[in-house]
Amino acid sequence: MTTKRIQLASILWMVFFGSSVLWGQMTTATITGVAKDSSGAVMPGVAITVKNVDTGAARTASTNQRGQYIVTNLGPGKYEVEATLSGFQTARQTGVL
């Protein structure tokens, strides 16, 4: 009975504490922003595309009612961020690290 408890305790320790070590080694990034028009008003519903320049991998998001967007779990690299909304000129930011 004692051996099973030690094994269970060892497994639980590895799950709870070992996984935090693995997560600590992750290298991901997040890009956030706020879409505003030329007058400074926030813009909800803007389509945001974040593209890795080196790999071509792209992720999309939309701005919320406050004009905010967030794109998470991005790998290392250089990115291009593009914002589009019907009736407005497309905005593009290059060289985002």
Side-chain angles (χ1 to χ4, degrees), residues 44-79:
V46 176
I48 304 295
T49 303
V50 176
K51 178 179 160 187
N52 185 308
V53 177
D54 297 324
T55 67
R59 304 267 308 278
T60 59
S62 294
T63 59
N64 64 16
Q65 291 300 316
R66 295 182 181 140
Q68 302 166 330
Y69 66 90
I70 183 168
V71 181
T72 60
N73 296 322
L74 298 168
K78 292 181 184 178
Y79 287 87

